[in-house]
């Protein structure tokens, strides 16, 4: 067969591959944990709730994960010994631009039958009630987020723990996700002092805080702006932060901005006096190494413990 005939033959094979009908494969098993979510019936419609971006809707969740690490099957969903979780949750769509994609990211809370928060361990992660199903948006490799979090932890920082999983919602296969810890103040997550509404003076008002620079979606109000960057309270929650606490943490950021603008590197009143420099270096290294398009302005978290400096990440 000469070279022209070979090219024609290759073209014909390609056309046949494109034009012939292909039967979709039905999802039935995986070597990864399988997350099954079924939303409750909406009494107003008699049909399952549609998951929206606020409020969270009630649902049930099962996580199929064989303890010996062998393959997980949908037929395992009624076998107690193969269920890592079998209980109630509340769930909503999360994210901003990622919401526009067909494969949605989700935030969920594990709850009791009466709706109160239920701290549980999922897939070996420490007990808590707030979790994220990361849809790996804008990441064709499906590995960038996972590797970034893993490397950050190995550098000695907190980053959300996560486990890859396959997700089905109301019987429809949604694809590969990472079940992640939600960022929050907790002994096993961001280990900072939790502020109460009465911590408003002296060293008490100095922490701890989690503040994020992000897009203004959902109901979280912007606490302040620095240039085009919007800053939002994450912990304490916007509806819980006191006026004194808001003023304190805002001043930390504005004073840091002033020091940086003036290129003030004094240890007493310059940039080093406000921030934990190694944490900012680590954050920049991770952001650049993994080409994080949101870094520095969107989905960017900072935290400050009581009597401590501002840390990035």
């Amino acid at each position: 067969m000469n070279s022209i005939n070979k090219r024609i033959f290759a073209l014909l094979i390609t056309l046949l591959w494109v034009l012939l009908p292909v039967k979709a494969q039905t999802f039935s098993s995986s070597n990864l944990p399988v997350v099954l979510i079924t939303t409750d019936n909406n009494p107003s419609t008699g049909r399952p709730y549609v998951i929206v971006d606020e409020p969270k809707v009630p649902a049930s969740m099962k996580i199929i994960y064989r303890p010996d690490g062998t393959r997980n099957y949908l037929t395992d969903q009624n076998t107690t010994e193969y269920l890592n979780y079998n209980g109630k949750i509340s769930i909503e769509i999360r994210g901003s631009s990622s919401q526009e994609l067909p494969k949605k990211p989700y935030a969920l809370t594990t709850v009791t039958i009466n709706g109160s928060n239920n701290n549980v361990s999922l897939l070996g992660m420490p007990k808590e009630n707030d979790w994220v199903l990361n849809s790996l948006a804008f990441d064709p490799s499906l590995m960038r987020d996972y590797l970034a979090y893993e490397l950050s932890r190995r550098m000695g920082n907190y980053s959300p723990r996560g486990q890859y999983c396959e997700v089905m919602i109301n019987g429809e296969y949604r694809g590969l996700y990472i079940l992640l810890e939600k960022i929050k103040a907790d002994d096993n997550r961001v280990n900072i002092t939790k502020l109460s509404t009465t911590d408003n003076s002296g060293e008490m008002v100095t922490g701890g805080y989690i503040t994020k620079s992000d897009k203004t979606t959902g109901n979280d109000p912007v606490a302040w702006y620095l240039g085009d960057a919007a800053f939002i309270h994450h912990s304490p929650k916007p509806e819980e932060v006191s006026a004194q606490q808001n003023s304190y943490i805002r001043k930390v950021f504005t004073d840091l901005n002033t020091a940086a603008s003036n290129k003030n590197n004094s240890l007493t009143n310059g940039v080093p006096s406000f921030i934990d420099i190694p944490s900012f270096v680590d954050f920049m290294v991770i952001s650049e190494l993994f080409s994080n398009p949101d870094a520095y302005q969107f989905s960017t978290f900072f935290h400050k413990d009581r009597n401590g400096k501002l840390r990035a990440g």
Side-chain angles (χ1 to χ4, degrees):
M1 185 182 293
N2 61 38
S3 60
I4 294 178
N5 288 336
K6 287 181 179 178
R7 286 197 295 270
I8 293 174
F9 179 74
L11 177 60
L12 288 173
I13 292 297
T14 302
L15 288 172
L16 284 172
W17 179 257
V18 172
L19 297 175
L20 285 176
V22 178
K23 185 177 181 180
Q25 184 177 6
T26 302
F27 176 77
S28 61
S29 66
S30 175
N31 61 327
L32 296 172
V34 178
V35 177
L36 305 177
I37 295 172
T38 305
T39 58
D40 292 1
N41 276 343
N42 185 338
S44 300
T45 64
R47 298 177 61 83
Y49 278 103
V50 176
I51 303 174
V52 295
D53 181 7
E54 295 187 359
K56 289 180 177 176
V57 300
S60 298
M61 181 174 74
K62 294 181 178 181
I63 299 179
I64 304 170
Y65 182 56
R66 294 195 177 206
D68 61 359
T70 55
R71 195 166 185 84
N72 304 293
Y73 295 85
L74 289 182
T75 52
D76 293 335
Q77 62 182 287
N78 295 316
T79 305
T80 302
E81 63 186 290
Y82 296 153
L83 295 181
N84 181 261
Y85 181 79
N86 181 15
K88 300 297 294 181
I89 63 170
S90 56
I91 185 170
E92 66 182 348
I93 298 173
R94 72 183 298 270
S96 181
S97 52
S98 56
Q99 287 193 19
E100 305 304 317
L101 301 177
K103 184 183 176 187
K104 310 294 185 188
Y106 300 98
L108 64 92
T109 302
T110 49
V111 297
T112 62
I113 293 177
N114 63 15
S116 58
N117 291 346
N118 185 22
N119 289 339
V120 296
S121 172
L122 300 183
L123 300 177
M125 292 178 278
K127 288 184 177 182
E128 240 293 335
N129 59 76
D130 283 320
W131 308 89
V132 169
L133 282 169
N134 181 340
S135 61
L136 302 163
F138 309 110
D139 179 15
S141 75
L142 305 178
M143 295 188 297
R144 188 178 64 195
D145 284 4
Y146 185 90
L147 291 175
Y149 293 141
E150 179 67 21
L151 181 58
S152 181
R153 283 195 300 276
R154 294 193 182 197
M155 295 167 72
N157 305 298
Y158 169 76
S159 285
R161 302 172 186 87
Q163 296 287 344
Y164 278 106
C165 59
E166 312 260 17
V167 174
M168 293 189 71
I169 298 179
N170 290 337
E172 180 184 347
Y173 178 67
R174 297 299 178 92
L176 181 71
Y177 282 74
I178 304 177
L179 178 64
L180 285 173
E181 297 174 328
K182 180 182 177 181
I183 296 172
K184 64 186 299 185
D186 182 86
D187 290 348
N188 291 309
R189 297 191 182 180
V190 184
N191 189 10
I192 58 174
T193 303
K194 292 184 180 180
L195 278 166
S196 73
T197 55
T198 58
D199 293 333
N200 293 318
S201 62
E203 70 172 18
M204 305 297 283
V205 78
T206 66
Y209 297 91
I210 303 176
T211 307
K212 62 180 179 179
S213 176
D214 208 352
K215 296 176 183 177
T216 54
T217 57
N219 294 325
D220 289 340
V222 176
W224 68 83
Y225 286 93
L226 278 178
D228 294 331
F231 287 81
I232 299 168
H233 293 299
H234 188 77
S235 181
K237 296 177 181 178
E239 65 272 19
E240 296 173 352
V241 65
S242 70
Q244 295 91 333
Q245 292 163 1
N246 176 74
S247 296
Y248 173 83
I249 192 62
R250 177 176 182 174
K251 188 173 187 300
V252 170
F253 278 90
T254 54
D255 286 352
L256 170 61
N257 185 60
T258 299
S261 299
N262 293 335
K263 299 181 180 180
N264 183 349
N265 61 3
S266 167
L267 295 176
T268 55
N269 61 6
V271 171
S273 69
F274 292 104
I275 68 171
D276 177 84
I277 293 177
S279 74
F280 276 75
V281 172
D282 288 351
F283 173 75
M284 292 177 185
V285 168
I286 292 290
S287 298
E288 296 300 324
L289 181 61
F290 290 94
S291 300
N292 180 2
D294 288 337
Y296 312 121
Q297 187 166 351
F298 303 127
S299 300
T300 297
F301 285 79
F302 306 88
H303 63 278
K304 183 185 181 301
D305 203 359
R306 184 162 292 168
N307 292 323
K309 293 182 179 181
L310 192 68
R311 295 175 59 90

